[in-house]
Amino acid sequence: GEDVEQSLFLSVREGDSSVINCTYTDSSSTYLYWYKQEPGAGLQLLTYIFSNMDMKQDQRLTVLLNKKDKHLSLRIADTQTGDSAIYFCAEMVAGRRALTFGSGTRLQVQP
Amino acid sequence: EAQVTQNPRYLITVTGKKLTVTCSQNMNHEYMSWYRQDPGLGLRQIYYSMNVEVTDKGDVPEGYKVSRKEKRNFPLILESPSPNQTSLYFCASTSVDRANTGELFFGEGSRLTVL
């Protein structure tokens, strides 16, 4: 079955790096995603990685994928107060028409 | 501006009173979907539609109906709401080629409370 797990909360100081972790169980995942949800808003796609990649970098964001351990991480460099939000990890499994989301990690950035 | 619009954004209703949450997108997307978000459970898919007159069940369809008579609209219908349908609901859309890669565009959410 499909299961995506994340820790619930992370607190960092402004300017530090944040690392949000996610584990998934379905080895047939084709794409893995990070979505961001700001207060009172819908989810916004931040970045995604194809399952045959192990790293993707996009400005301050770095996604690392360890397929052997089924572990995905999102690193935000130089974290800003505007990065405070809930971050959802999600996977797309081959043959399905839906994303499976984790429960979200609330990132709090302290000045 | 490209957007997915949901209405109402907030609703308090009573058990058994039929309600409809509307969703409209202006991006000519074929794929539309409804999710519900509950604390500790992330987002779970209720129904999705690959195109006009084509709908299918997601992971938690019980108690919900949908229709897709026009490409831009995908309403979510609760025929007889119950308290366990109290949740935050999101509509999402994307083009068919993006549906296979999961790049969804989300509405701002509709918070529903059923008393």
Side-chain angles (χ1 to χ4, degrees):
Chain A
E2 304 153 18
D3 198 14
V4 178
E5 295 189 355
Q6 307 175 234
S7 54
L8 290 179
F9 187 76
L10 175 66
S11 180
V12 300
R13 290 199 178 277
E14 193 172 16
D16 288 350
S17 291
S18 307
V19 179
I20 302 172
N21 295 302
C22 169
T23 57
Y24 60 97
T25 56
D26 198 317
S27 58
S28 59
S29 297
T30 53
Y31 290 89
L32 293 132
Y33 307 84
W34 286 105
Y35 276 84
K36 177 182 180 183
Q37 184 182 30
E38 295 183 0
L43 279 71
Q44 177 186 14
L45 179 65
L46 271 182
T47 186
Y48 66 93
I49 188 167
F50 191 46
S51 58
N52 68 353
M53 298 168 64
D54 52 21
M55 188 181 91
K56 181 178 180 181
Q57 187 152 5
D58 184 2
Q59 299 182 339
R60 292 190 297 122
L61 305 179
T62 303
V63 178
L64 295 177
L65 175 60
N66 181 329
K67 284 189 68 177
K68 175 175 169 291
D69 295 337
K70 298 189 182 71
H71 182 265
L72 182 74
S73 68
L74 173 70
R75 179 177 180 269
I76 305 173
D78 186 25
T79 313
Q80 303 297 307
T81 54
D83 295 323
S84 293
I86 302 175
Y87 291 81
F88 289 91
C89 172
E91 64 173 350
M92 169 72 84
V93 174
R96 289 208 65 211
R97 299 288 190 185
L99 300 182
T100 299
F101 286 86
S103 55
T105 299
R106 183 179 294 276
L107 174 65
Q108 181 182 69
V109 181
Q110 298 174 339
Chain B
E1 180 189 352
Q3 58 187 4
V4 178
T5 304
Q6 298 178 223
N7 278 295
R9 294 288 313 281
Y10 302 91
L11 179 64
I12 300 174
T13 189
V14 295
T15 298
K17 186 175 181 182
K18 181 180 178 180
L19 67 92
T20 299
V21 186
T22 63
C23 174
S24 181
Q25 50 91 7
N26 62 0
M27 294 169 279
N28 201 36
H29 285 162
E30 296 87 2
Y31 178 94
M32 298 185 75
S33 180
W34 277 102
Y35 286 84
R36 61 178 287 174
Q37 182 182 13
D38 301 293
L41 295 177
L43 278 79
R44 294 176 293 167
Q45 190 184 54
I46 303 170
Y47 269 94
Y48 67 93
S49 169
M50 295 298 293
N51 214 324
V52 176
E53 301 292 0
V54 181
T55 63
D56 211 342
K57 295 177 181 178
D59 295 319
V60 288
E62 293 79 18
Y64 304 95
K65 287 175 57 178
V66 291
S67 69
R68 190 84 183 276
K69 293 184 170 52
E70 304 166 282
K71 197 173 186 181
R72 65 183 291 124
N73 295 322
F74 190 45
L76 178 70
I77 304 156
L78 286 73
E79 293 272 4
S80 182
S82 62
N84 65 12
Q85 293 178 296
T86 293
S87 188
L88 179 58
Y89 291 86
F90 287 101
C91 180
S93 73
T94 192
S95 56
V96 167
D97 56 347
R98 283 191 174 135
N100 291 328
T101 61
E103 295 178 64
L104 297 174
F105 295 82
F106 281 84
E108 293 182 318
S110 296
R111 185 167 292 282
L112 172 65
T113 301
V114 183
L115 301 177

